[in-house]
Amino acid sequence: MSRGRIVPALGSWRAALRIARREARRSRGRTALVLAMIALPVLGLTFAAASYDMAQLTRAERLDRRLGAADVELRWVAENPQVQDAWGTSYWPADEPAVPRTRPLSADEVAAQLPAGSRVTRIRWWVPFETRIDGRPVSLDARALDLTNPLARPLATLRAGRRPTAPDEIAVSPQARRRLGVRLGDPVRTTDGTTYRLVGVVEFPDDLRELVTLRPETPPGPVAPSDESWLADLPGPVNRALVDRLNAHGIVVGGRVRLPGRDESVPGPNLPNAEETGNAVLVGGLGLLEVVLLVGPAFAVGVRRRRRDLALVAVAGGDAAHLRRIVLADGVVLGAGGAALGLLLGVGTAFAGRPLVEQYVMSARFGAYRVFPAALAAIAAVAVLAGVLAALAPAWTAARQDVVAGLAGRRQPPRRRRRWLVLGVLLTVIGAAVAALGASRTSPTVVLAGLVLGELGLVFGTPTLIGLLARAGRLLPLAPRLALRDASRNRSSAAPAISAVMAAVAGSVALGMYVASDEARQRAQWQPGLPPGHVLLLRTDDPDAGTLPPAGEVAERVRVVLPTATVAPLVVPVCAKPASPEDFCQVSAMLPPERRCPYGPRDTVTDAERVRALADPRCVRPFRDPDGFYQPAYVDDGAALAALTGAPATEITAAARVLAAGGVVVTDPRLLRDGRVTVVAGHGSVDGSPTASATVPGHLLRGGLSVDRLVLSPAAASAVGLAGGQVGYAVDTTGPPSAAQRDRLAAELSPLAALTVQVEEVHRSDQRPLLLLLSIGAGLITLGAAGVATGLAAAEGRRDLSTLAAIGADPRVRRVLSVCQAGVIAVLGSVLGLLAGLGSAAIILISLNRRYAQAWPVEEPYPLVVPGLTIAVLVVVPLVAMLGAGLLTRSRLPVERRLD
């Protein structure tokens, strides 16, 4: 562009911006509305950006939380020399193979490697700490360090009491203190019988969760070398010779400054994940489109109210470009104003809400106060872009208006353009095809892209639909006929509002249908390992620690809480002589060769093999893999059979007779051949130990829980070289115990043995809170869009209301008209959204099911479930919008002087 054209364009933009600023001051209500709708998403994004920037610690901040007041941190990681980077974050052995350190270290041993006059203190960053709360064992994270040492003192802030000074004293975080329910000076007993006294409440800035601080002298349990480090204060600076000497002994050094003679590790480029980036861009685009659709009606009404002013500009010599710039300047001014307001409020909210985010979201203290300038600049640019895009369609409309009609204040009926309808239909069809393609290939990015295209297609087709409905409205009474006529005449404001409602409802319904279908699929796939409501009492100590008490003694304590319960020992088969500590015992019933599927569930099969496998009845699995606790094989004489299987009493009696005769009980009919079952047992280690087998009488257990289970009699277990190892007790109950009963049961059993109470729950993946949240979000957008559009339509239609008053219309007509105007926006947008959402979800789920039907192994398909809660909420919301419009509208009809 030449200089002769740039200067006039800049001058035109300056004049347009001045006009926009003046118009914003004159139309304060519309300005406040647009600013609020732009500022709200900017506020949320700014809050997230500033909080994220404060949460990302600098290197100096991380080192302060790691080093305290020390000069360096030492980690003795191996017995052989190590090579490290300049900051001690990366290291590797100088000579292969690496020799890990296993022996404990003393402070004198570490100080001997440092210059004379050095001071050291040990930190164990994680040690186990298990106590009992309400009779239940609870594990808490713990650290072992000396907080009275000047080197480690800055690592934690003292909130109450004092720092521990004796081996039997501890300090806890505020959250741990609330969890334990103790006060300063109270004893805290661990599960192994050790008693500590609580003397202080301290807070570590890097971990605000439940944390216990112990003295470093006697931490409980073994500690890995990676969890142990030493803080050292040196008499002089860190030189290369010192680092070389420490590395030669297997010690890795981390300091506050770059270590001399070491290269800095250069990580690879931290490239964003392509799929995650694509999803974020598409979701951000949907959010931007929603804002544009919500703000667009305000600009459209503003243009119609300024028809005369814009016509005067055209008469004074302004061309179409000048008119477009004047309207686009409104978008620039209001977008910039909304961005500035949102940025200020977002930064202020992030600073004010910082303690809450630290405590309840990040569980760690933030660094310095920062605002992420680059992200804020991008957010502001997007906000201005939203304003410009919202003003784009009204700007083109203003540039094409008839000057004479504008000067006279007459409305021009909108011209129908079939190309927008054709474009909308094409985009909708293409979007549906793209979404189906993405679902069949399980690509969320492609699915989102298809949904975006489909939504744009519906947006482009909405104005034509409004015109068709207005034609059909001739048969309606006066108020709804006027509402449809106004919507048709003012499509530039009605169509974006309807599209905004449609987009919000479609997204809510589509996601809600997917969530409801997924919940139904999970419910169909759910397979408990025990009958729901039955209880297992599993030992938590080492099996070699001793034998468990008799079942009768345990049953007495169980019946204190569950009077009708029966208790039986829970015994699993174990190999008599394990080959190694890593070896495990494997026992199963052998499937006859002619009944085996030739394709394993983890085999990679060709298309032809997959077809054959799907058609082969031998490859149909009779059972699903159980969820939760599951043990495929037990050793039992029939006492625990009812609690484990939930089978009818007659079946339990028949199975007990087979077990008493030295047989086995199975639930898979394929395992039985001529009334006998072949049992195979042996070591399951990688050395391929030979197995022992025996063919014994078998009984097929019918009824009860549908899981693959093998129950061996003691005689059958001995026949294949197996012994029995008791792991706990099985409790048969008449109903599932409540949470209070579980706590009481744990408290009753605590003095008797180290047992944990485990109950097989019923399926509870209830998604109603998520569905309700989605519905509420869509409902709020529906109410907002309907309210904004109705208010703008009422402001725009004052002349029509004056005409109605002049011809003697009833004052209630205005209220009924507002109700109908809100109904056109809310009902039409909700209906379109429901249809679009249900159609989108159905396309995605059907495509996924077609893919699952051809998969190997066969996967459970998604049932098409319509979320009743979502539909109910979205049906009620339009009624609420109409009721609100009727209550908030004055029935008094205005009488105004007409200019023409």
Side-chain angles (χ1 to χ4, degrees):
M1 183 182 294
S2 63
R3 179 178 176 81
R5 298 179 63 184
I6 294 177
V7 174
L10 292 176
S12 175
W13 270 108
R14 283 196 296 268
L17 291 173
R18 288 198 300 269
I19 294 173
R21 188 173 64 250
R22 182 199 64 183
E23 183 65 24
R25 289 197 300 267
R26 290 173 56 185
S27 304
R28 291 186 175 89
R30 183 173 62 90
T31 299
L33 179 66
V34 174
L35 288 179
M37 285 190 287
I38 294 178
L40 283 177
V42 172
L43 186 154
L45 293 174
T46 301
F47 174 83
S51 299
Y52 172 82
D53 199 21
M54 290 186 290
Q56 299 301 305
L57 303 180
T58 63
R59 188 191 297 273
E61 291 168 342
R62 291 196 302 269
L63 290 174
D64 284 340
R65 297 186 180 185
R66 188 78 183 181
L67 298 180
D71 296 325
V72 293
E73 179 188 21
L74 309 178
R75 286 175 292 160
W76 203 320
V77 297
E79 299 290 352
N80 56 335
Q82 299 291 305
V83 179
Q84 69 166 87
D85 67 349
W87 295 97
T89 55
S90 300
Y91 59 91
W92 55 94
D95 301 316
E96 296 291 347
V99 182
R101 184 183 63 82
T102 56
R103 58 187 179 86
L105 295 172
S106 65
D108 294 338
E109 191 174 359
V110 175
Q113 307 297 330
L114 300 174
S118 299
R119 296 178 298 160
V120 297
T121 183
R122 181 176 61 185
I123 296 180
R124 291 180 174 175
W125 296 98
W126 183 88
V127 293
F129 188 90
E130 188 172 88
T131 183
R132 290 187 180 274
I133 299 177
D134 297 330
R136 295 176 298 171
V138 176
S139 295
L140 301 178
D141 289 343
R143 292 178 179 178
L145 69 161
D146 184 6
L147 289 179
T148 63
N149 191 297
L151 299 181
R153 182 187 292 266
L155 293 175
T157 302
L158 183 65
R159 295 298 185 190
R162 60 178 177 84
R163 296 173 173 84
T165 57
D168 62 343
E169 295 178 344
I170 61 171
V172 297
S173 65
Q175 290 69 30
R177 180 183 180 184
R178 286 193 292 268
R179 178 74 181 279
L180 294 170
V182 294
R183 296 175 297 179
L184 293 179
D186 288 350
V188 177
R189 183 182 297 273
T190 61
T191 54
D192 62 359
T194 306
T195 301
Y196 296 94
R197 188 164 61 92
L198 178 64
V199 297
V201 178
V202 298
E203 176 186 284
F204 288 86
D206 63 320
D207 192 346
L208 302 182
R209 294 168 295 186
E210 299 167 353
L211 192 64
V212 178
T213 304
L214 305 165
R215 291 284 302 177
E217 291 85 359
T218 54
V223 179
S226 59
D227 293 324
E228 181 182 71
S229 65
W230 297 80
L231 300 184
D233 178 60
L234 306 178
V238 181
N239 53 44
R240 180 170 183 174
L242 175 60
V243 178
D244 290 342
R245 186 172 71 251
L246 293 174
N247 288 167
H249 286 82
I251 301 175
V252 177
V253 184
R256 296 184 181 276
V257 297
R258 188 177 184 275
L259 298 177
R262 297 295 183 275
D263 295 328
E264 188 165 356
S265 297
V266 180
N270 189 17
L271 298 178
N273 182 275
E275 183 174 348
E276 293 179 358
T277 303
N279 294 342
V281 170
L282 290 172
V283 172
L286 284 174
L288 178 62
L289 176 62
E290 193 71 28
V291 173
V292 169
L293 292 175
L294 288 172
V295 176
F299 286 107
V301 171
V303 168
R304 288 201 301 272
R305 301 189 70 174
R306 297 164 61 190
R307 285 191 303 268
R308 182 178 176 83
D309 295 339
L310 295 174
L312 290 174
V313 172
V315 171
D319 56 12
H322 291 104
L323 297 179
R324 284 195 297 268
R325 288 169 189 164
I326 290 174
V327 179
L328 289 176
D330 289 345
V332 173
V333 170
L334 295 181
L341 180 62
L343 290 177
L344 290 175
L345 293 177
V347 171
T349 305
F351 286 174
R354 171 175 168 165
L356 297 177
V357 178
E358 290 174 337
Q359 184 67 60
Y360 298 106
V361 179
M362 304 302 296
S363 297
R365 296 296 178 195
F366 289 171
Y369 283 92
R370 293 184 285 267
V371 297
F372 207 164
L376 298 192
I379 294 170
V382 172
V384 175
L385 176 63
V388 172
L389 291 177
L392 190 59
W396 284 100
T397 301
R400 294 196 305 266
Q401 77 167 350
D402 184 84
V403 176
V404 177
L407 290 173
R410 296 194 303 270
R411 295 181 180 180
Q412 286 181 282
R415 291 177 294 177
R416 292 178 296 173
R417 297 184 182 274
R418 293 184 177 178
R419 62 179 180 226
W420 294 114
L421 177 60
V422 173
L423 179 60
V425 172
L426 287 176
L427 285 177
T428 303
V429 173
I430 294 173
V434 172
L437 177 64
S440 63
R441 297 186 176 181
T442 61
S443 174
T445 304
V446 179
V447 172
L448 274 174
L451 294 179
V452 171
L453 289 176
E455 186 172 311
L456 286 175
L458 293 175
V459 169
F460 286 139
T462 301
T464 303
L465 180 61
I466 295 174
L468 294 176
L469 290 176
R471 286 186 176 185
R474 298 172 181 174
L475 304 177
L476 297 175
L478 174 63
R481 186 167 71 248
L482 288 176
L484 281 173
R485 187 206 63 175
D486 287 344
S488 178
R489 292 169 59 186
N490 303 323
R491 297 181 198 178
S492 57
S493 60
I498 293 173
S499 299
V501 175
M502 176 201 65
V505 172
S508 174
V509 170
L511 188 56
M513 184 173 176
Y514 177 83
V515 170
S517 300
D518 184 64
E519 181 183 8
R521 181 172 182 256
Q522 291 180 9
R523 189 181 300 112
Q525 288 179 319
W526 178 69
Q527 179 60 62
L530 290 171
H534 287 200
V535 180
L536 288 182
L537 306 177
L538 301 178
R539 68 185 307 171
T540 58
D541 56 356
D542 188 352
D544 298 331
T547 58
L548 291 174
E553 188 176 349
V554 175
E556 292 179 1
R557 293 182 177 268
V558 170
R559 292 194 185 101
V560 173
V561 182
L562 304 173
T564 60
T566 59
V567 179
L570 191 64
V571 181
V572 298
V574 294
C575 293
K577 296 180 179 180
S580 66
E582 293 79 17
D583 199 6
F584 61 92
C585 192
Q586 191 173 24
V587 57
S588 62
M590 180 179 293
L591 188 67
E594 68 275 7
R595 301 178 184 176
R596 298 175 188 171
C597 178
Y599 309 101
R602 294 180 178 83
D603 291 347
T604 302
V605 297
T606 64
D607 293 340
E609 290 173 338
R610 183 179 66 250
V611 172
R612 288 195 295 269
L614 294 175
D616 193 337
R618 297 175 300 173
C619 298
V620 178
R621 298 185 63 190
F623 305 108
R624 295 190 182 95
D625 292 330
D627 301 292
F629 179 83
Y630 173 67
Q631 180 71 29
Y634 293 94
V635 177
D636 186 46
D637 58 1
L641 206 56
L644 294 175
T645 64
T650 55
E651 283 292 317
I652 296 296
T653 302
R657 287 198 298 266
V658 174
L659 292 174
V664 298
V665 174
V666 296
T667 56
D668 189 348
R670 301 176 302 169
L671 299 174
L672 282 168
R673 175 189 282 176
D674 299 329
R676 302 181 71 82
V677 176
T678 300
V679 180
V680 179
H683 299 285
S685 59
V686 295
D687 61 357
S689 302
T691 59
S693 64
T695 301
V696 296
H699 175 77
L700 177 63
L701 187 69
R702 297 177 177 88
L705 204 62
S706 179
V707 294
D708 188 9
R709 198 181 302 280
L710 171 65
V711 181
L712 299 93
S713 63
S718 300
V720 289
L722 298 174
Q726 187 176 356
V727 295
Y729 306 89
V731 182
D732 189 358
T733 61
T734 56
S738 63
Q741 287 176 320
R742 298 180 202 178
D743 294 340
R744 288 179 55 200
L745 186 58
E748 286 288 336
L749 296 172
S750 177
L752 195 62
L755 297 171
T756 180
V757 179
Q758 184 166 327
V759 180
E760 187 67 57
E761 301 281 358
V762 297
H763 184 73
R764 297 183 182 276
S765 63
D766 189 3
Q767 300 291 343
R768 282 180 295 180
L770 177 59
L771 295 176
L772 184 60
L773 183 62
L774 293 172
S775 304
I776 290 175
L780 290 176
I781 293 178
T782 301
L783 292 176
V788 169
T790 303
L792 294 174
E796 181 69 10
R798 291 180 64 86
R799 288 186 175 183
D800 296 336
L801 295 176
S802 298
T803 302
L804 290 174
I807 63 176
D810 191 281
R812 290 177 295 180
V813 171
R814 181 179 185 182
R815 181 167 293 167
V816 176
L817 180 59
S818 295
V819 170
C820 294
Q821 287 172 332
V824 169
I825 303 298
V827 172
L828 187 55
S830 297
V831 170
L832 289 176
L834 284 172
L835 295 177
L838 293 175
S840 301
I843 290 173
I844 294 172
L845 294 176
I846 291 173
S847 300
L848 284 173
N849 288 341
R850 291 187 60 185
R851 180 175 179 270
Y852 287 164
Q854 301 300 322
W856 173 257
V858 178
E859 298 188 39
E860 186 77 22
Y862 283 94
L864 298 181
V865 179
V866 178
L869 179 63
T870 302
I871 303 301
V873 171
L874 295 179
V875 168
V876 172
V877 166
L879 301 179
V880 174
M882 297 168 65
L883 179 62
L887 294 176
L888 298 177
T889 301
R890 293 180 298 176
S891 60
R892 181 178 176 182
L893 290 168
V895 178
E896 294 184 350
R897 178 174 174 269
R898 299 289 295 265
L899 296 177
D900 52 349

